């Protein structure tokens, strides 16, 4: 049973430039490994997070459609980049720039997923906060699929791929009407 944690946006913590939060999951998204930075920022012990769904650290400010897009990429065996707002066990909020990739066995079959998170750009976080808020409102009114469609329409309008958008924002770039 998943216990609801409360959060206070004034309890935001920030990654250092040299922080690399890494984790591995099985094909269902259950955590099989988390490094010491994962322990430090999540606030969970290894015993508490092993074999639990990775959404254990999902922040309520994250729209569901962002994770739908993630899984769509994973099912296509594609690398995925995203700005993600996480929630620690103690209620701290922390943003990361995430890179998730499939891991393969010797026969080329996907056997797990590997994620590395680092300090996100300030402009990227500011931009994504606005986009994610819009997506949360869309999801509340029209459902998750409407949120996904909003993202796809936004990408098409700006003639940019999801990964290009994320990498551009990490590099402090601007896209469309968002900055």
């Amino acid at each position: 049973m998943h216990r609801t944690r409360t959060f206070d946006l004034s309890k935001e913590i920030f990654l250092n430039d040299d922080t690399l939060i890494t984790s591995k999951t099985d094909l269902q998204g259950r955590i099989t490994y988390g490094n010491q930075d994962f322990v430090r920022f999540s606030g969970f012990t290894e015993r508490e997070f092993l074999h639990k769904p990775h959404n254990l650290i999902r922040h309520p400010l994250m729209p569901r459609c962002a994770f739908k897009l993630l899984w769509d990429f994973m099912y296509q065996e594609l690398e995925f980049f995203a700005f993600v707002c996480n929630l620690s066990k103690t209620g701290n909020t922390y943003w990361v720039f995430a890179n998730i990739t499939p891991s393969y066995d010797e026969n080329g079959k996907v056997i797990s997923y590997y994620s590395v998170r680092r300090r996100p750009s300030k402009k990227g976080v500011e931009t994504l906060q606005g986009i994610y808020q819009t997506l949360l409102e869309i999801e509340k009114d029209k459902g998750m699929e409407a949120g996904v469609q909003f993202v796809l329409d936004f990408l098409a309008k700006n003639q940019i791929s999801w990964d290009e958008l994320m990498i551009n924002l990490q590099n402090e770039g601007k896209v469309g009407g968002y900055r």
Side-chain angles (χ1 to χ4, degrees):
M1 178 174 213
H2 183 67
R3 202 180 73 155
T4 304
R5 295 184 310 275
T6 59
F7 67 94
D8 175 353
L9 287 177
S10 69
K11 289 179 67 177
E12 185 169 3
I13 56 175
F14 301 92
L15 278 65
N16 296 322
D17 286 338
D18 62 349
T19 301
L20 286 176
I21 300 173
T22 60
S23 59
K24 294 180 184 179
T25 69
D26 62 17
L27 296 177
Q28 289 73 44
R30 292 181 300 252
I31 303 168
T32 59
Y33 168 79
N35 71 349
Q36 284 304 307
D37 281 336
F38 185 90
V39 171
R40 176 178 165 213
F41 284 91
S42 75
F44 290 96
T45 65
E46 186 176 62
R47 176 178 277 168
E48 291 173 313
F49 67 70
L50 276 181
H51 310 294
K52 301 287 190 308
H54 206 288
N55 68 7
L56 178 73
I57 57 172
R58 181 177 181 257
H59 199 289
L61 294 177
M62 284 299 300
R64 293 179 302 142
C65 65
F67 297 102
K68 165 87 169 78
L69 290 168
L70 161 67
W71 282 107
D72 288 349
F73 271 67
M74 291 302 101
Y75 293 141
Q76 295 176 58
E77 299 183 19
L78 299 172
E79 184 173 33
F80 186 77
F81 295 91
F83 286 77
V84 180
C85 185
N86 290 321
L87 182 63
S88 75
K89 178 182 175 183
T90 59
N92 291 325
T93 296
Y94 61 103
W95 281 87
V96 297
F97 180 67
N99 172 235
I100 301 101
T101 57
S103 297
Y104 300 90
D105 68 10
E106 62 277 355
N107 298 315
K109 181 181 175 189
V110 175
I111 55 170
S112 62
Y113 302 108
Y114 183 72
S115 179
V116 176
R117 277 93 66 207
R118 56 185 37 103
R119 184 182 185 133
S121 73
K122 184 177 178 181
K123 286 186 181 182
V125 169
E126 290 170 356
T127 299
L128 268 295
Q129 283 175 319
I131 292 172
Y132 288 169
Q133 182 58 44
T134 298
L135 290 170
L136 286 169
E137 292 166 12
I138 291 169
E139 287 181 356
K140 182 179 178 185
D141 294 340
K142 300 177 184 173
M144 182 180 60
E145 289 302 326
V148 170
Q149 191 58 54
F150 175 87
V151 171
L152 296 176
D153 292 346
F154 175 85
L155 295 172
K157 175 184 169 190
N158 288 283
Q159 300 179 350
I160 193 167
S161 72
W162 175 265
D163 285 347
E164 289 171 323
L165 172 64
M166 293 299 116
I167 291 168
N168 191 19
L169 290 171
Q170 179 64 3
N171 292 329
E172 308 263 353
K174 300 177 185 178
V175 178
Y178 291 94
R179 16 182 197 126

